[in-house]
Amino acid sequence: MSITAPALTAEQLKTVLQHALDQHAHKEGNLLPLLHSIQDQLRYIPAAIVPLLSAAINRSRAEIHGVISFYTHFRTHPPAPVLLELCRAESCQARGANGLIAQVKEQLGCDFHQTSADGQVSLEPVYCLGLCSQGPAAMINGNPVAHLNLQTLNQQLQEKGAQS
């Protein structure tokens, strides 16, 4: 399931892009920081901003699309209200993450890079949160949570407004 976001106006896109450029224009090799800034502001990178970015930094649209599609962190569609990123790094796996991931996928009825049937939770993999001794770990809307099991994760999701 994909979430439909309200269409952004050209003026809104220009404002988002200008904010990103103000932060990173002085940096060499600034494409990745610019894309991160755009996604941080909008929670995804809309296709309509790519031509504006292309013109602003004198890079081809193909190059920008290539970077967006190469890195799995970048989203081209808005996530659900709750973005759940489950750690798949080796230390979290050693602490039971694979079992938790299977339970979460079953409960949400979706796989990684998908959204739950109720449209409330987008599920994404992440490959290290730096909470290695506290796994399994996750990020919920950008906030790290550790020592997870299905019960504690459900409590965290309910606090963020998602139904479990």
Side-chain angles (χ1 to χ4, degrees), residues 22-147:
D22 289 346
Q23 287 181 306
H24 303 290
H26 63 284
K27 296 177 184 171
E28 196 147 333
N30 61 0
L31 179 56
L32 283 172
L34 287 167
L35 291 172
H36 280 287
S37 178
I38 292 165
Q39 182 161 289
D40 288 347
Q41 292 177 72
L42 299 174
R43 300 187 76 212
Y44 75 110
I45 301 170
I49 207 164
V50 172
L52 301 173
L53 178 58
S54 172
I57 65 172
N58 197 27
R59 299 277 181 105
S60 74
R61 286 187 247 176
E63 182 179 0
I64 295 169
H65 279 294
V67 170
I68 293 168
S69 64
F70 178 78
Y71 291 102
T72 59
H73 174 75
F74 293 126
R75 293 180 296 279
T76 56
H77 295 14
V82 175
L83 176 60
L84 172 59
E85 298 172 282
L86 293 174
C87 184
R88 306 223 32 225
E90 288 80 4
S91 53
C92 278
Q93 288 180 39
R95 300 181 63 83
N98 287 340
L100 177 64
I101 289 167
Q103 291 174 316
V104 169
K105 286 179 177 182
E106 183 177 335
Q107 178 176 294
L108 294 177
C110 68
D111 204 341
F112 285 122
H113 308 292
Q114 295 179 349
T115 298
S116 61
D118 66 2
Q120 293 301 301
V121 180
S122 288
L123 183 61
E124 297 289 337
V126 65
Y127 294 94
C128 188
L129 296 170
L131 298 169
C132 301
S133 66
Q134 301 172 48
M139 292 275 274
I140 302 174
N141 286 346
N143 298 307
V145 291
H147 300 293

